Amino acid sequence: MKHKTRTSVAAPKQPRVRSLPWLIAIALVGAALTVAFQEPSWFRAPAPAHHPASSSSSSSSVTPSPAFTPTIANTAAAPGPAPAGMVWIPGGEFSMGSTVESEALCALPGVTRDALPVHRVRVDGFWMDTTEVTNDEFARFVKATGYVTIAERTPTAAEFPGAPLSSLVAGSVVFTPTAAAVRLDDHGQWWRYQRGADWRHPEGPASTIRGREKHPVVHIGYDDAVAFATWAGKRLPSEAEWEFAARGGLTGKLYAWGDDFRLGDRPLANTYQGKFPTKDEGGDGFAGIAPVASFAPNAYGLYDVAGNVWEWVSDWYRPDYYHQLAAAGGVSHNPRGPESSFDPSEPGTKKRVHRGGSFLCTDQYCTRYMVGTRGRGEVSTGSNHLGVRLVKD
């Protein structure tokens, strides 16, 4: 593919010096569907009594934890009229994170390990997009700037020394259902590196976004998200800002809307129904990604802060970061994440935090649609379940 000239809004390209097979492996980890690694001693928490939740269950059996103390929202009015497509998030003080008791809602352990302990945080007010960035919005950005995403760039031999030239192809990571039930200890069975997959071609070169203009844009790396934000005059939220906004003023709830996953028979988010990873039966109305704002918003007017697609935030990822904040004591004011990235499963790989979960989340494997939980991904890796939502000061 011939590279287009990048404009001044393009973020610096992160050097990629691993072999291409490692790119694929990193991409799979970047999908943020598992946190299986050997935790250091400070990262271990006592295992709760485990009772996997049922996909059809409309309520949880988890008792609200006393670790959460009331959210205190700022009372100052918004500084002016809302920018188009944004709402004012007042900021304030809240309890951030998750508790080990929430492990009972996922059939595989580990969903809350890097979201412990609950700690007190204060954030200032900001504007936030009501929805994830859509294909239509991203297309306007590309038309105006000629920007080329990481997934559209052909890898070079300099970036991946030793890789066969035949493997140096532009592409991204795509979820692929398995033909039959499989063990859930190897996510390589349902993810593949797809040649020609990018934001214009979500499932590969034969696919298109025609008719999906209002779907969230996917297959964007962290730098792609920053480039779009710069062009739009916005920025990525911090992890603390994201969680404060997603909680919608509520205190210690499991989900952005409360403690019940469903409201009677009514689904409240786009997640996975059916046997994972063989078939999403679309019991919530969508088998795969849904158009933005297909479900009710939270109390702050934000759509899809649970499920649909993961969202990049600005913080570097460390599984011990919440422990660091808690150990410092008091209330952390506008925390922006650790100074550097560290994931014990891949110590040399730079990762940023993902939030919100995706249409692939399920209580059989990954319940990270729970508002206090976290994901992470290698900064140059996108996938067909990862997007972004922006904020503005």
Side-chain angles (χ1 to χ4, degrees):
M1 176 185 294
K2 183 178 179 181
H3 290 194
K4 297 180 181 177
T5 302
R6 294 187 217 161
T7 70
S8 60
V9 301
K13 186 177 180 182
Q14 293 287 339
R16 295 178 288 173
V17 293
R18 298 170 292 278
S19 67
L20 198 61
W22 272 108
L23 171 67
I24 298 172
I26 289 167
L28 298 177
V29 173
L33 293 177
T34 182
V35 286
F37 53 85
Q38 293 294 321
E39 305 96 326
S41 60
W42 47 259
F43 192 47
R44 295 193 184 114
H50 190 68
H51 304 286
S54 167
S55 295
S56 61
S57 176
S58 62
S59 64
S60 75
S61 59
V62 175
T63 302
S65 171
F68 292 96
T69 53
T71 294
I72 306 171
N74 294 334
T75 57
M86 305 190 87
V87 292
W88 178 245
I89 307 300
E93 186 177 315
F94 76 113
S95 295
M96 180 175 178
S98 189
T99 61
V100 70
E101 289 84 1
S102 299
E103 288 286 322
L105 298 177
C106 190
L108 291 185
V111 70
T112 67
R113 286 178 188 158
D114 59 355
L116 305 173
V118 173
H119 55 287
R120 204 69 178 164
V121 171
R122 184 171 70 254
V123 296
D124 296 334
F126 54 94
W127 299 101
M128 192 172 207
D129 288 344
T130 59
T131 71
E132 294 142 345
V133 175
T134 64
N135 286 320
D136 188 48
E137 292 170 316
F138 200 78
R140 290 199 297 269
F141 159 61
V142 170
K143 183 177 180 180
T145 64
Y147 184 81
V148 178
T149 62
I150 295 170
E152 296 172 287
R153 304 170 194 165
T154 302
T156 68
E159 292 172 315
F160 300 100
L165 292 180
S166 60
S167 296
L168 297 177
V169 295
S172 190
V173 181
V174 175
F175 173 76
T176 306
T178 58
V182 295
R183 290 175 56 90
L184 300 182
D185 54 1
D186 177 12
H187 49 262
Q189 297 175 99
W190 54 86
W191 288 100
R192 73 176 190 276
Y193 188 80
Q194 173 62 52
R195 178 175 185 163
D198 54 49
W199 74 274
R200 290 185 178 93
H201 309 96
E203 291 83 41
S207 62
T208 178
I209 58 172
R210 189 173 296 112
R212 292 191 266 185
E213 289 82 4
K214 298 304 179 185
H215 284 212
V217 67
V218 293
H219 291 300
I220 56 172
Y222 183 80
D223 283 353
D224 300 329
V226 171
F228 176 83
T230 302
W231 174 79
K234 301 178 183 181
R235 62 176 176 84
L236 272 67
S238 70
E239 186 176 16
E241 289 172 330
W242 191 98
E243 185 169 326
F244 181 90
R247 287 190 177 277
L250 300 178
T251 297
K253 298 300 183 182
L254 287 169
Y255 311 110
W257 51 84
D259 285 327
D260 294 335
F261 185 60
R262 300 173 69 92
L263 185 60
D265 292 332
R266 175 186 168 197
L268 299 174
N270 181 22
T271 60
Y272 196 96
Q273 292 85 48
K275 181 67 175 177
F276 185 85
T278 58
K279 183 179 181 181
D280 183 351
E281 296 177 351
D284 53 22
F286 302 94
I289 295 177
V292 298
S294 293
F295 297 84
N298 75 355
Y300 284 155
L302 303 174
Y303 295 90
D304 306 316
V305 288
N308 215 25
V309 299
W310 284 96
E311 300 175 15
W312 285 108
V313 296
S314 61
D315 297 40
W316 288 114
Y317 175 79
R318 287 187 66 100
D320 61 339
Y321 181 55
Y322 288 10
H323 288 266
Q324 294 176 13
L325 293 179
V331 179
S332 300
H333 185 205
N334 289 331
R336 297 292 173 180
E339 293 183 358
S340 60
S341 167
F342 176 70
D343 183 344
S345 66
E346 291 185 303
T349 301
K350 294 181 178 180
K351 297 182 182 182
R352 300 270 185 178
V353 176
H354 299 162
R355 280 306 205 110
S358 80
F359 70 93
L360 294 175
C361 285
T362 165
D363 57 17
Q364 301 162 55
Y365 185 62
C366 165
T367 54
R368 289 190 178 88
Y369 40 68
M370 294 192 299
V371 70
T373 56
R374 315 169 75 201
R376 83 273 196 186
E378 193 270 339
V379 293
S380 65
T381 300
S383 68
N384 69 326
H385 76 331
L386 173 60
V388 68
R389 180 192 310 259
L390 302 178
V391 299
K392 186 181 180 72
D393 296 313

